[in-house]
Amino acid sequence: MRWRSYVAVGDSFTEGMDDAYPDGSYRGWADLVATRLAAEVGPDFRYANLAIRGRLFPGVVAEQVPAALAMKPDLISFAAGGNDVLRRTFDPDALVARFDDVVRRLRSGGADVVLFRFADVMARLPGQRLVAPRVQLLNRAVGETAERYGAILVDLYADDAYLNPMLWSTDRLHLSAAGHRRVAAQVLDALGVGCDEEWLLVPPRPAPTPWLAARAADLRWAGQHLAPWIRRRLTGRSSGDTVTAKRPTLDPIAD
């Protein structure tokens, strides 16, 4: 095991929404990966998670990347850009160029870097015609950048299991606990580290919903999740405005 320290960088995907600990805080795939690596290394293993929900790519780069580099970890995971593709002001050329620069910086510090091609979340969300091509562009850039700099690529987009709604939370945007376990297993597999095979298990797909019930569910979802998201966009607010990193320093994992 060559990784004795790990820093996770990103947004809500890496923070762990919506995989909750009993106290209501979020666990997520990165905590699961860190716990498994710590079991291999022992008490000297250290872990930081700088990810904050709602962060756009520039914010992740400005706030989290310098902090991660300063910690000089052996392993860094970087996942950002998912929030940007949902914005009207999305600039694909600028994001692709900055993505390349960030990965170059992370790799030049000597760390191994884990990157992600994002799963197809748009299959159950409005705006698919506009956003899906953006996701494909970002995923293509991630794959090319990973190859260029020798980063470790975890290709969630190629995994059709993520088309199962049971791997997603009720907001249809964030992973469920089962989804986070599957991501953790795929990261560990990419790192060559074994894990509990149950993490890869996918819950059975729900039975087809009658049309009227499905439309009623869509209306409830729009009121509970879409409308607040739109209000935040109109007022310039973010779900992470009052949130701080859950593990801001590189520390051992408590038993």
Side-chain angles (χ1 to χ4, degrees), residues 98-110 145 149:
R98 292 200 70 183
F99 193 93
D100 181 279
D101 179 64
V102 169
V103 176
R104 178 188 58 78
R105 289 168 58 194
L106 294 174
R107 287 289 288 144
S108 66
T145 305
Y149 294 108

Side-chain angles (χ1 to χ4, degrees), residues 120-140:
D120 184 9
V121 67
M122 294 308 300
R124 296 173 299 109
L125 291 175
Q128 181 175 7
R129 239 178 231 190
L130 173 66
V131 177
R134 297 177 174 184
V135 174
Q136 292 167 5
L137 182 149
L138 178 58
N139 278 340
R140 184 167 62 251

Side-chain angles (χ1 to χ4, degrees), residues 10 22 56 65 85 90 102 139 154 229 246 248 253:
L56 296 173
V65 168
V85 301
F90 177 69
V102 169
N139 278 340
V154 178
W229 185 87
K246 64 181 182 179
I253 295 178

Side-chain angles (χ1 to χ4, degrees), residues 102-178:
V102 169
V103 176
R104 178 188 58 78
R105 289 168 58 194
L106 294 174
R107 287 289 288 144
S108 66
D112 286 321
V113 175
V114 176
L115 302 176
F116 296 87
R117 295 183 78 225
F118 293 109
D120 184 9
V121 67
M122 294 308 300
R124 296 173 299 109
L125 291 175
Q128 181 175 7
R129 239 178 231 190
L130 173 66
V131 177
R134 297 177 174 184
V135 174
Q136 292 167 5
L137 182 149
L138 178 58
N139 278 340
R140 184 167 62 251
V142 170
E144 292 171 353
T145 305
E147 183 174 359
R148 187 154 49 245
Y149 294 108
I152 299 163
L153 181 64
V154 178
D155 192 352
L156 305 181
Y157 190 80
D159 185 358
D160 288 343
Y162 289 101
L163 298 176
N164 184 338
M166 298 303 293
L167 292 183
W168 300 91
S169 74
T170 55
D171 71 0
R172 306 183 182 181
L173 185 63
H174 297 103
L175 292 166
S176 65

